[in-house]
Structure formats: C-alpha cells, structure tokens
Amino acid sequence: MSRSFRPTPYGEASESLVNYRLGVGGDDARLSFYAVEESARGVSLRAPHLTYYGLVDGTARVDVEGEEGLAVEAGESLVVPPLQTITVDFPAAHEDPARYVVLRVDRSQVRSILDRVASDVPSGPAVQDGGRDDPAYFHVPENEGIARVLNMVAYLFREDPPNRDRLIDLNAMELLIQMLQTASRPLLVGELPRNTSAGGLAAAVQYIQDNLDRHISIDELVEEACMSKSSFYRHFSDEFEMSPLEYITRERVVRARELLADSDNTVTNVSHALGFSSTSHFIDMFKEHEGVTPKQYQMDLLD
C-alpha cells in the first residue's frame, strides 16, 4: 500500500524525510542517506540551499510544477536549486526498495575544489535542454563514476567502518568532482541569482551557513539578499515561517547537535565553534530549544 505525504513548510520537520533517513555523515560535508522500502507518493523535497540527490538503488518519478515528469533510475542524479520544490514518487519501493543520497552543496567547497583541481577537471558537456536561465533542476543520466561513489557511500552508512565520517567527506568531494564534469556544472559553480526573492533568500541562507561561527547582523543579510530591510523580513517570514534571527538560532542548534555527536567535542569547544562569547549563554540557548543541556544531549546520544 502506498503512502502519501502533503508538502511541509521548511520550518517544520518533514515527515517524508525523517521517516526514511538512515543516517547523516561527514565532518565537513552535509550528506544524508535514505531508504524507502514501501511504496510512497507525493514526497515533497525542498531546501533553502543547492542540493544534490543521487539514486543508489530502485526507481523514482520526479515532478516539478511546469515541468514534464521525469523517471529516475539507479545511478542517476539531480541537482536542485535553492527553494525549488520537487515531488517524488516511489511507486515500486515495496518490491524494489529505493536508496538515495542527499548532499547539501556548499558552493565555497565547490570553489575550493576548483581552485585545487581546476586543471584536471574538464568543463561539463554543453547544456542542451537544461540551458534555460532558471532551470527547475538538472538531471544527470547514469554515470559509472558517480554510481561507484554512490555505492561506496551506501556501504559506509550500512557497515559503519572506522573513520566513516572522513571517508564520507572524501566521497562527497569525489562526487562533486564527478558532477563538475556534467551538464550540472553551471548550477554548481554559478552565482545565486539575486534579482528574485528566492535567489536573494538563498544567498542570505548561504551566508548564514558560512558564518555560524560569529554574530550575523540583519544588515549583512539584507545586503546579501539585495533587498530592502522590510522586503527581506516579509519574504523571509513568508518562506520560513520564522524571523531571520530565529532561523539563525535554529541553525546554530542544528550545527550544535551535529558537533555534539562527536564525543571528542566538549560543550565549551562547541560553544566557541558557534561564536558564543559565553558557554553559559550557549547552554541556556540549547536547553531552551532542546529541553536538555548540551552535555545531557551528548550523553544521551552516545549511550
């Protein structure tokens, strides 16, 4: 029997994702691994950042408003712009389980890769159908190199070998290198279009992610978004159902949870990594949002 999901606002936990996620990995990369083992329809995927989706096993169908539906097979990939909603069906997952990888693409990491290996990474093929100014997504057909990386990522999550997170980071880097040789390259390396509200918000969100280790002012975000302050507040609230400062706090809590998952990170270290001048302020903020202190959270997680 298939399951159906209604789209959920970004500010809420997405049932369609949480129910399927098997794990999150990487010290530097934001990479998640999902498995769908029963038929599902209407899984709504939307993120405020550039996102890579790679299908390891199974089949899926992707729909975007205004676009022709797309059948996706194992080994194929999608790169989706910030704030673009795609709806995915897994109609045959009860017979042929689907496993897929999601990578939050950090453009600063892409630039770093290009700086280091630009002479060894040829430009992708000329873009044909995907050459329009504002593509809803880029579809990359099955590619032997990409399929190999996806299967290695699946192995790392399934077997949890020593140094798993470091190996995941290396594979995430290889995945980006492979993708830079495809038609998705312009989207991976291009600047965010800030002449639209979606592009401006995406630029502001990227700026937040790049600067979680220090105080971020609203004026900085307004400048990144290329909007007036009143327009920025209005568009941000409409999109995320929270204020920019609430979003920054939530993202710091998310990052704190990730850092606390490593037993080598102390509460003081995490506090400093997130730009708090006072560890007690960090503890109070974390407890207000999570209901427990950072240390208790870490102990419960690692038990």
Side-chain angles (χ1 to χ4, degrees):
M1 180 177 180
S2 66
R3 303 173 66 188
S4 180
F5 299 94
R6 66 178 181 84
T8 55
Y10 180 72
E12 300 177 7
S14 173
E15 179 188 10
S16 60
L17 291 180
V18 172
N19 282 354
Y20 294 136
R21 187 163 63 187
L22 297 185
V24 180
D27 292 322
D28 300 321
R30 299 289 188 86
L31 195 149
S32 303
F33 185 62
Y34 298 83
V36 184
E37 297 181 345
E38 58 181 285
S39 297
R41 297 184 182 278
V43 180
S44 181
L45 305 177
R46 179 179 177 87
H49 42 72
L50 186 63
T51 306
Y52 166 86
Y53 300 93
L55 191 62
V56 183
D57 296 304
T59 60
R61 178 180 174 81
V62 176
D63 286 292
V64 179
E65 185 177 359
E67 299 282 329
E68 184 178 350
L70 173 70
V72 181
E73 304 286 338
E76 298 183 354
S77 306
L78 299 177
V79 180
V80 181
L83 302 176
Q84 173 67 61
T85 300
I86 63 174
T87 303
V88 186
D89 295 339
F90 299 97
H94 62 292
E95 297 177 346
D96 184 17
R99 295 186 298 164
Y100 63 99
V101 167
V102 179
L103 175 64
R104 176 180 186 156
V105 178
D106 183 341
R107 276 199 171 93
S108 63
Q109 187 177 25
V110 173
R111 290 192 294 270
S112 176
I113 289 172
L114 287 175
D115 289 342
R116 294 166 59 184
V117 298
S119 60
D120 300 320
V121 179
S123 298
V127 179
Q128 302 296 329
D129 295 339
R132 54 194 182 278
D133 292 335
D134 188 21
Y137 60 82
F138 273 105
H139 169 235
V140 178
E142 184 178 2
N143 173 294
E144 182 179 351
I146 293 172
R148 174 173 46 78
V149 177
L150 292 175
N151 279 293
M152 175 55 72
V153 170
Y155 162 79
L156 293 172
F157 277 102
R158 184 177 65 250
E159 301 298 332
D160 194 17
N163 299 309
R164 187 198 71 161
D165 284 338
R166 292 182 181 179
L167 293 171
I168 286 175
D169 283 336
L170 289 173
N171 278 273
M173 180 179 293
E174 183 177 355
L175 185 58
L176 289 174
I177 291 172
Q178 294 279 357
M179 291 296 294
L180 284 168
Q181 300 176 62
T182 73
S184 68
R185 180 187 177 108
L187 188 55
L188 293 171
V189 304
E191 289 297 319
L192 295 167
R194 304 186 195 192
N195 59 335
T196 64
S197 61
L201 290 179
V205 166
Q206 181 65 57
Y207 188 82
I208 290 170
Q209 294 299 326
D210 292 342
N211 293 278
L212 284 176
D213 59 345
R214 66 171 184 82
H215 172 73
I216 302 170
S217 71
I218 295 299
D219 288 340
E220 291 174 84
L221 298 181
V222 167
E223 182 177 353
E224 285 296 313
C226 295
M227 298 181 190
S228 68
K229 187 173 291 188
S230 60
S231 293
F232 177 69
Y233 269 109
R234 183 177 71 257
H235 287 301
F236 199 99
S237 178
D238 288 345
E239 177 62 41
F240 299 108
E241 298 187 346
M242 64 183 75
S243 72
L245 291 179
E246 289 171 333
Y247 181 90
I248 292 170
T249 299
R250 191 194 67 173
E251 289 303 294
R252 284 201 166 110
V253 171
V254 171
R255 185 70 60 84
R257 292 201 306 257
E258 294 172 352
L259 293 172
L260 290 167
D262 184 344
S263 60
D264 290 336
N265 285 331
T266 67
V267 172
T268 299
N269 289 342
V270 173
S271 173
H272 290 164
L274 292 174
F276 285 88
S277 58
S278 164
T279 301
S280 62
H281 181 203
F282 166 64
I283 292 172
D284 290 342
M285 183 275 294
F286 191 92
K287 186 174 182 180
E288 178 182 350
H289 285 81
E290 296 297 306
V292 295
T293 65
K295 187 61 179 178
Q296 186 61 55
Y297 176 88
Q298 186 176 54
M299 292 172 61
D300 292 343
L301 193 65
L302 301 174
D303 275 350

